[in-house]
Amino acid sequence: MVTPDTQTPPPPPSAQTYVVNDSQALQDALNKVQAGDTIIIRGGRHYRSNYRYPGETIRGFTLANSGTADAPIRIAGDTSDDSTAPIIDQGITSTDEDSVIGIYLLCASHVVIENLEIRNVHSSGISSSLGDCASSGIKISNTHIHHVYGDTNVGGIRLSRTSQVEISNNLLHDIYQSDRENTTPIVTADSDNISEIVIRQNHFSNSDTGVRLQAQNDNHLSGIMIQDNHFELLDKAVVGITNSLNGASSADSKISELQIQGNLFLETASAIDLDMGDTREQSQGLSVVNNTFHDIERIAVNLSGIIDIIIYNNIFSHVERDLLITRASSQLGISTNISEMDYNLFWHTDYTASTGPEWLLDLGGTNPQTFNNFSDWTSAFTDTLHAHLQSDPDQVSEFMDPLFSDSESLDFTPQSTFAINGGYHGETLGAFTDGKRPGPGNETP
């Protein structure tokens, strides 16, 4: 006889599909869905909600149920009849203070969101809970989020304590925050160790920050892939920071195994800004590979508090001020060190190999060094034995015109011989390889 403790559990109920075409029906479906269920939102319509889940202050369409890894909850716009994607428009303007977001994932895990437009919202287009609960298995794709307003904690997509994240093929732009000192991450670890994060083939533009990663107090972010994205008209494209939270005197947070690969950084003030130096834990493992940097106003790569850095197969074109900065950490024992930097191409019509721009090591530290041109940079380790390097950088790299196919049409496919086959193992340099361009869909130029 089988005892109750070992009986096989009953099979789950059959998955349900809810087709909705108005705002109340959408929230009703969000209240009902269970693991494996799907909500189809009819296209060509507008949806708006002031709904507030009991005990919460955030308003907007709210999902408080979770799927499973094998049976996620799916929320999808229906464009099967060639209609436009359904539009969640909360009607918020830049002067409104009501916290009405697009979709609020309240302690919800294993959720797929796709084929929507979300606009005119406060704080965030899509947000996880910012409270005590952790989430996992969130996938957001083919969604257009724009005109997001607020004072602080503003982000097109805002995920806290969320692992197993995939954000792909989205368009995010016009995200405005009045308090620029407290920008919000796209992914943050503020109470747990967060891993398995993929941010791929998105287009970020006309905002303060594209992707912001933040590890706080004694928590870690690891296993992050930022790949094949198009960053344009931003103050900072990719930001990573480790710090304390809520008045804590110091932090033991870190960010590890971060890959930034195949991205286009275009007309941004600063491209990559990673400050892991305000912590007692050593961040480790950064790959900056096969990216194209073009028309960078200030700094291409700015690093502090991370070791095991490799930078290769990149094209740095028209960086106006600083190609690379490494900064001193504010904590004793926390280092910055580049393991390998080579097979890159540098170009600016106003410079030569023996004139600007600059590479700076240990800025703000005890051994600051400035290299005013490419020729000096390639002997930086031999000349200074600097602790931020392991060998002379960019021995195979070249200072030359990449001969982009058509930069005016945003086709940055290189045509120079070195750029085509001068990379590591004979690979093509930059983000435009194999006939593809960064951004949603990886369209052929």
Side-chain angles (χ1 to χ4, degrees), residues 152-171:
T152 60
N153 300 327
V154 178
I157 298 172
R158 186 176 63 184
L159 301 178
S160 175
R161 303 180 62 191
T162 307
S163 290
Q164 298 172 342
V165 171
E166 184 174 338
I167 299 169
S168 61
N169 285 288
N170 301 290
L171 178 61

Side-chain angles (χ1 to χ4, degrees), residues 117-121 144-148 171-175:
E117 180 178 349
I118 301 174
R119 69 188 189 192
N120 299 325
V121 296
H144 181 190
I145 299 174
H146 59 104
H147 290 88
V148 182
L171 178 61
L172 300 98
H173 63 91
D174 291 283
I175 298 168

Side-chain angles (χ1 to χ4, degrees), residues 136-206:
S136 63
I138 304 298
K139 295 184 178 181
I140 302 170
S141 64
N142 300 312
T143 290
H144 181 190
I145 299 174
H146 59 104
H147 290 88
V148 182
Y149 305 98
D151 295 328
T152 60
N153 300 327
V154 178
I157 298 172
R158 186 176 63 184
L159 301 178
S160 175
R161 303 180 62 191
T162 307
S163 290
Q164 298 172 342
V165 171
E166 184 174 338
I167 299 169
S168 61
N169 285 288
N170 301 290
L171 178 61
L172 300 98
H173 63 91
D174 291 283
I175 298 168
Y176 304 105
Q177 176 165 298
S178 58
D179 181 359
R180 299 183 67 182
E181 296 300 316
N182 293 288
T183 52
T184 292
I186 195 169
V187 177
T188 177
D190 54 14
S191 298
D192 276 315
N193 299 329
I194 303 303
S195 62
E196 298 180 56
I197 299 162
V198 177
I199 303 170
R200 177 185 290 134
Q201 293 176 225
N202 303 283
H203 188 135
F204 301 89
S205 65
N206 201 29

Side-chain angles (χ1 to χ4, degrees), residues 20-339:
V20 301
N21 58 15
D22 64 65
S23 300
Q24 185 59 55
L26 174 54
Q27 185 57 58
D28 289 344
L30 289 167
N31 292 338
K32 295 175 183 177
V33 285
Q34 301 295 324
D37 290 351
T38 297
I39 299 174
I40 301 296
I41 307 174
R42 289 295 192 195
R45 293 172 170 84
H46 288 65
Y47 300 81
R48 181 173 296 183
S49 174
N50 238 359
Y51 178 79
R52 185 175 66 188
Y53 191 87
E56 292 293 312
T57 58
I58 294 175
R59 287 179 290 150
F61 291 106
T62 302
L63 174 66
N65 299 323
S66 293
T68 66
D70 294 330
I73 291 172
R74 180 171 172 256
I75 304 169
D78 177 20
T79 57
S80 59
D81 58 354
D82 295 325
S83 62
T84 59
I87 299 172
I88 294 176
D89 186 338
Q90 301 291 36
I92 296 295
T93 68
S94 59
T95 59
D96 289 329
E97 297 182 357
D98 291 340
S99 184
V100 183
I101 68 173
I103 297 177
Y104 182 30
L105 303 178
L106 176 56
C107 303
S109 292
H110 302 294
V111 180
V112 176
I113 299 174
E114 55 191 357
N115 300 330
L116 302 176
E117 180 178 349
I118 301 174
R119 69 188 189 192
N120 299 325
V121 296
H122 188 280
S123 298
S124 183
I126 299 172
S127 179
S128 70
S129 173
L130 304 182
D132 294 332
C133 55
S135 300
S136 63
I138 304 298
K139 295 184 178 181
I140 302 170
S141 64
N142 300 312
T143 290
H144 181 190
I145 299 174
H146 59 104
H147 290 88
V148 182
Y149 305 98
D151 295 328
T152 60
N153 300 327
V154 178
I157 298 172
R158 186 176 63 184
L159 301 178
S160 175
R161 303 180 62 191
T162 307
S163 290
Q164 298 172 342
V165 171
E166 184 174 338
I167 299 169
S168 61
N169 285 288
N170 301 290
L171 178 61
L172 300 98
H173 63 91
D174 291 283
I175 298 168
Y176 304 105
Q177 176 165 298
S178 58
D179 181 359
R180 299 183 67 182
E181 296 300 316
N182 293 288
T183 52
T184 292
I186 195 169
V187 177
T188 177
D190 54 14
S191 298
D192 276 315
N193 299 329
I194 303 303
S195 62
E196 298 180 56
I197 299 162
V198 177
I199 303 170
R200 177 185 290 134
Q201 293 176 225
N202 303 283
H203 188 135
F204 301 89
S205 65
N206 201 29
S207 305
D208 286 339
T209 305
V211 173
R212 183 177 171 94
L213 307 168
Q214 188 160 340
Q216 297 173 323
N217 290 350
D218 59 349
N219 306 295
H220 304 161
L221 281 169
S222 64
I224 306 159
M225 171 67 81
I226 301 173
Q227 182 179 28
D228 298 337
N229 300 283
H230 180 151
F231 297 95
E232 184 175 3
L233 298 174
L234 304 165
D235 185 59
K236 295 180 179 178
V238 176
V239 173
I241 188 169
T242 58
N243 62 4
S244 57
L245 180 68
N246 297 331
S249 59
S250 59
D252 291 319
S253 54
K254 65 180 180 181
I255 297 177
S256 302
E257 305 307 323
L258 170 58
Q259 299 180 60
I260 303 174
Q261 180 176 341
N263 303 284
L264 171 64
F265 299 96
L266 176 64
E267 296 183 37
T268 66
S270 295
I272 298 173
D273 189 338
L274 306 178
D275 182 6
M276 283 74 143
D278 186 21
T279 179
R280 296 175 298 198
E281 283 283 332
Q282 180 68 64
S283 292
Q284 182 174 4
L286 167 66
S287 301
V288 180
V289 178
N290 274 105
N291 301 283
T292 296
F293 301 78
H294 185 70
D295 279 350
I296 307 301
E297 180 183 347
R298 295 198 301 265
I299 308 168
V301 181
N302 187 17
L303 306 172
S304 175
I306 187 166
I307 60 174
D308 295 343
I309 301 165
I310 60 171
I311 303 173
Y312 65 85
N313 282 13
N314 301 284
I315 296 177
F316 297 89
S317 170
H318 289 84
V319 177
E320 299 301 328
R321 202 179 77 186
D322 302 313
L323 283 155
L324 170 73
I325 296 178
T326 66
R327 297 181 183 271
S329 169
S330 62
Q331 299 286 338
L332 291 176
I334 300 301
S335 304
T336 304
N337 185 264
I338 298 173
S339 301

Side-chain angles (χ1 to χ4, degrees), residues 331-396:
Q331 299 286 338
L332 291 176
I334 300 301
S335 304
T336 304
N337 185 264
I338 298 173
S339 301
E340 181 182 1
M341 182 169 179
D342 210 344
Y343 301 95
N344 300 297
L345 186 152
F346 303 93
W347 175 245
H348 196 300
T349 53
D350 294 339
Y351 301 121
T352 68
S354 57
T355 63
E358 296 181 337
W359 292 254
L360 296 88
L361 299 179
D362 199 28
L363 187 64
T366 58
N367 185 24
Q369 298 286 340
T370 299
F371 305 89
N372 295 310
N373 56 67
F374 178 70
S375 299
D376 289 349
W377 171 243
T378 57
S379 60
F381 184 73
T382 297
D383 293 343
T384 67
L385 298 178
H386 204 285
H388 287 196
L389 299 173
Q390 292 188 10
S391 60
D392 282 328
D394 289 308
Q395 295 301 287
V396 181

